[in-house]
Amino acid sequence: MAMPLRQSIRVGTYLFEQKLRKREKFPLIVELEPLFACNLKCEGCGKIQHPAGVLKQRMPVAQAVGAVLESGAPMVSIAGGEPLMHPQIHEIVRQLVAKRKYVFLCTNAMLLRKKMDKFTPSPYFAFAVHIDGLRERHDESVAKEGVFDEAVEAIKEAKRRGFRVTTNSTFFNTDTPQTIVEVLNFLNDELKVDEMMISPAYAYEKAPDQDHFLGVEQTRELFKKAFSGGNRARWRLNHSPLFLDFLEGKVDFSCTAWAIPNYSLFGWQRPCYLMSDGYVPTYRELIEETDWDKYGRGKDPRCDNCMAHCGYEPTAVLATMGSLKESIRAARESVAGNRS
């Protein structure tokens, strides 16, 4: 786990405060979607399937910042759509950073070099570039040639200017342990991004391609083989050790989707950004008026093949905080990651 020490301390302090307050449900990171429009048509994403009128909407700055502050989460992941298409995205980031929120701006990087001047490097801010494979594989997943090369050049430029750069990679049943190893080796060793996040693809109901999502056993076998030979310890993965254990099938967890809630143009999405069972205007209503016990594997058939970060990373983090042994393990891996 390569989370910077300052961020680790901030998140750890936040979690300890929630425990002292005896709060059972609270946000760890908010998934903020200030728009649904995108400049790509990825086969595994259903966001751009919204009507044209919805795709033209842009969330006001005050609304976006206000939702995050209302939740109290220490971290924010700004997604979409493509956030860099929002004309005031830099102002949303600036105000959140001013509030000392850790902000990750998720992007396909097609507009990154053009918009980079609008942002300022900060230990509270990182560009999170989506990379699903090496050139041919990535361009196929986003249905457009040249996207991989542009993303690589944008990452290099952002690093040159002093920005923190992380990546997010989604893997499908067309992937093999070797394709995972190849792209993570490239990101870790050649591009030298600060952190990498990985996720098995979830069968998002509006996605055009419904044939290439991973099942639970496929996921476990895939990551168990990809992590072998010391790869897991060597890569700067932005995940708790227990979540990586979960991907390998060494442990199992229940879903805690309430800890990574989604806020979009429609409001707070119930129960998570991958499933849409309605929206509410406040985070408090989301927490108090959602029947969380009915979601998860074995409870809702839509959840049966899900091992997504938004549902299970928070469970792993909470399990880590509840165990001295796992807390020490996570701290050691964080220190090792920051030295690499």
Side-chain angles (χ1 to χ4, degrees), residues 277-303:
D277 285 358
Y279 299 84
V280 292
T282 67
Y283 179 72
R284 181 174 180 176
E285 288 175 88
L286 176 73
I287 292 301
E288 296 180 355
E289 298 179 9
T290 303
D291 183 2
W292 298 101
D293 291 335
K294 74 178 185 179
Y295 296 105
R297 290 202 304 276
K299 300 176 180 179
D300 187 316
R302 295 172 297 176
C303 303

Side-chain angles (χ1 to χ4, degrees), residues 33 36-37 45-50 55 80-81 204 206 262 264 269 273-274:
E33 295 181 330
F36 293 127
C45 177
K47 297 295 182 179
I48 62 170
Q49 304 303 315
H50 288 293
L55 294 179
Y204 187 73
K206 291 184 179 180
N262 174 272
S264 71
Q269 185 169 334
Y273 85 98
L274 293 168

Side-chain angles (χ1 to χ4, degrees), residues 152-214:
V152 167
E153 291 306 312
I155 289 172
K156 290 178 179 178
E157 178 65 13
K159 292 285 290 180
R160 188 187 68 79
R161 295 195 193 189
F163 287 98
R164 290 186 63 235
V165 181
T166 69
T167 54
N168 182 17
S169 301
T170 304
F171 298 111
F172 297 81
N173 65 11
T174 50
D175 277 292
T176 66
Q178 186 59 33
T179 63
I180 293 177
V181 169
E182 288 172 354
V183 68
L184 295 184
N185 276 348
F186 175 75
L187 297 172
N188 192 84
D189 302 336
E190 296 189 41
L191 280 188
K192 300 185 185 301
V193 299
D194 293 281
E195 301 164 355
M196 300 177 292
M197 193 168 78
I198 57 179
S199 182
Y202 170 81
Y204 187 73
E205 62 182 358
K206 291 184 179 180
D209 180 0
Q210 289 289 316
D211 298 325
H212 296 116
F213 294 105
L214 287 161

Side-chain angles (χ1 to χ4, degrees), residues 214-221 247 297 304-307:
L214 287 161
V216 171
E217 291 307 318
Q218 286 178 299
T219 296
R220 290 170 175 166
E221 189 66 20
L247 289 182
R297 290 202 304 276
D304 285 348
N305 286 312
C306 180
M307 295 182 72

